[in-house]
């Protein structure tokens, strides 16, 4: 009798485990479909010709795939759209803003993690509270500031307006500070006894140990600059040729008042692929950097 009860409990436990796995994988499949469908629709639309794109209801699969749309979208230029120029602008803003953000973040995180000064915790707490303010609320004040500085009236000023206001990231400072705090303080004290400067200790010890977190920040900052739309669209209002690629695509491929959606989607796919590749090949650094920074408060 006891043997039968044990077997019954094992069957119930196995059934529960199977049921839980079914629910779990069904949820994962549903989430995967939700994520994949927009990408599929983008590529499917990019492969349609000018006639098929106007059909109502739209076709789910391209009838006659036009792969030349991808090449034509790159080569297309007009008075409002230049793919090569917009990509150059995006790369310049992305590289300079990433370098500046990483340098500022490293020094700020080191100061809050290791250096002792009056009001350190209070200043850090105030910085953290700013994370609760939506970025959209600061757009007007930021625009008024760069306008008074005259940055939106010149090409160099426009680039400065797209880079400087976002060099400081409180989230990155918090993330790297948490990573720095995982490093034993004894190493810092030993370095000071040996006569090493703070800068040398930071460069030789803390930065190498926090490399996963720094790589994570670089990836996230590049992706943020690549996808930025609202602020670049605002500050380049007087200089169409200085737009970033996301802003340029929004105003591109307009013929007789109608948008050639297939060409627009083809160009969008070309712009999206690099970000997908970066995420696919660098996701382990993102996971490692975030997990390392969240071990200790």
């Amino acid at each position: 009798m006891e043997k039968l009860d044990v077997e019954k409990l094992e069957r119930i436990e196995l059934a529960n485990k199977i049921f839980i796995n079914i629910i779990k994988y069904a949820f994962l499949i549903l989430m995967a479909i939700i994520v994949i469908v927009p990408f599929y629709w983008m590529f499917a639309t990019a492969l349609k010709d000018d006639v098929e794109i106007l059909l109502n209801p739209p076709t789910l699969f391209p009838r006659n795939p036009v792969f030349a749309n991808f090449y034509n979208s790159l080569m297309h230029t007009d008075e409002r759209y230049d793919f090569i120029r917009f990509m150059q602008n995006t790369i310049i803003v992305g590289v300079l803003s990433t370098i500046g953000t990483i340098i500022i973040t490293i020094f700020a995180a080191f100061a809050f993690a290791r250096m002792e000064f009056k009001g350190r915790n209070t200043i850090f707490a105030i910085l953290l509270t700013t994370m609760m303010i939506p970025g959209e609320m600061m757009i007007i004040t930021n625009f008024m500031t760069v306008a008074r500085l005259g940055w939106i009236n010149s090409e160099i000023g426009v680039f400065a307006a797209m880079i400087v206001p976002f060099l400081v990231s409180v989230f990155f400072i918090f993330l790297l500070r948490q990573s720095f705090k995982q490093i034993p303080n004894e190493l810092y004290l030993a370095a000071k006894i040996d006569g090493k400067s703070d800068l040398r200790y930071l460069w030789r010890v803390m930065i190498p140990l926090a490399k996963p977190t720094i790589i994570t920040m670089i990836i996230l900052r590049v992706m943020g600059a690549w996808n930025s739309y609202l602020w670049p669209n605002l500050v380049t209002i007087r200089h169409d040729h200085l737009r970033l690629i996301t802003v340029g695509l929004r105003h591109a491929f307009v013929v007789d008042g109608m948008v050639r959606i297939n060409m627009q989607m083809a160009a969008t796919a070309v712009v999206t692929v690099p970000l997908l590749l970066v995420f696919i090949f660098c996701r382990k650094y993102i996971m490692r950097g975030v997990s390392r920074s969240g071990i200790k408060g």
Side-chain angles (χ1 to χ4, degrees):
M1 191 70 179
E2 292 181 358
K3 184 178 181 181
L4 293 176
D5 291 340
V6 171
E7 292 179 351
K8 184 177 180 180
L9 289 174
E10 289 178 349
R11 288 196 298 269
I12 294 175
E13 184 178 352
L14 179 61
N16 290 335
K17 185 176 181 181
I18 293 174
F19 177 76
I20 292 174
N21 285 335
I22 291 175
I23 296 298
K24 179 173 63 177
Y25 285 106
F27 176 76
L28 292 176
I29 291 172
L30 177 62
M31 292 298 102
I33 292 174
I34 293 175
V35 172
I36 292 174
V37 165
F39 289 99
Y40 168 76
W41 190 255
M42 176 178 64
F43 283 100
T45 304
L47 291 172
K48 296 179 182 179
D49 56 32
D50 293 336
V51 176
E52 187 177 1
I53 200 68
L54 298 176
L55 294 180
N56 190 17
T59 55
L60 186 60
F61 303 99
R63 297 174 181 176
N64 298 303
V66 183
F67 292 94
N69 285 345
F70 294 99
Y71 177 80
N72 294 334
S73 66
L74 302 183
M75 297 297 104
H76 175 82
T77 57
D78 55 41
E79 67 276 2
R80 304 188 67 186
Y81 176 77
D82 186 338
F83 181 86
I84 304 299
R85 179 62 187 268
F86 292 163
M87 284 297 296
Q88 290 176 348
N89 297 339
T90 304
I91 292 173
I92 292 173
V93 172
V95 170
L96 294 181
S97 62
T98 299
I99 293 174
T101 299
I102 296 303
I103 293 174
I104 293 174
T105 300
I106 288 175
F107 284 109
F110 176 75
F112 286 119
R114 283 291 177 265
M115 300 184 70
E116 297 289 342
F117 56 90
K118 188 175 181 179
R120 183 185 68 173
N121 294 333
T122 302
I123 295 174
F124 187 68
I126 294 174
L127 285 177
L128 290 181
T129 58
T130 62
M131 294 178 61
M132 295 184 289
I133 303 175
E136 290 75 10
M137 292 185 63
M138 295 183 287
I139 287 181
I140 296 178
T141 55
N142 285 342
F143 183 79
M144 292 175 62
T145 300
V146 298
R148 289 174 181 174
L149 293 174
W151 286 0
I152 61 175
N153 298 322
S154 64
E155 293 190 4
I156 296 179
V158 169
F159 278 110
M162 288 190 286
I163 296 171
V164 174
F166 304 98
L167 288 179
V168 177
S169 172
V170 177
F171 171 71
F172 285 170
I173 293 174
F174 169 76
L175 192 69
L176 190 58
R177 172 186 177 270
Q178 298 304 100
S179 183
F180 280 169
K181 289 179 73 67
Q182 310 306 314
I183 302 172
N185 195 44
E186 289 75 13
L187 292 177
Y188 179 67
L189 297 177
K192 299 301 290 184
I193 292 174
D194 289 340
K196 300 294 188 297
S197 64
D198 288 340
L199 184 61
R200 187 174 181 82
Y201 171 75
L202 174 64
W203 178 255
R204 298 295 297 274
V205 178
M206 301 195 77
I207 290 179
L209 291 178
K211 184 169 66 174
T213 304
I214 295 175
I215 293 176
T216 300
M217 294 190 305
I218 292 173
I219 295 171
L220 295 178
R221 188 65 190 89
V222 169
M223 294 176 67
W226 196 274
N227 290 323
S228 182
Y229 175 80
L230 185 59
W231 178 254
N233 185 38
L234 187 63
V235 297
T236 58
I237 192 170
R238 298 181 181 178
H239 304 273
D240 292 346
H241 63 287
L242 298 181
R243 288 172 172 168
L244 303 189
I245 188 62
T246 51
V247 181
L249 289 175
R250 175 63 181 82
H251 303 280
F253 309 109
V254 179
V255 179
D256 297 330
M258 295 185 62
V259 180
R260 298 185 62 187
I261 300 178
N262 53 344
M263 298 291 290
Q264 197 173 62
M265 285 295 181
T268 303
V270 173
V271 173
T272 303
V273 166
L275 291 183
L276 290 177
L277 295 178
V278 167
F279 180 79
I280 291 172
F281 290 106
C282 299
R283 67 184 185 278
K284 63 178 181 179
Y285 294 105
I286 298 176
M287 299 303 297
R288 190 186 307 168
V290 174
S291 61
R292 177 180 174 82
S293 301
I295 294 175
K296 182 177 178 182

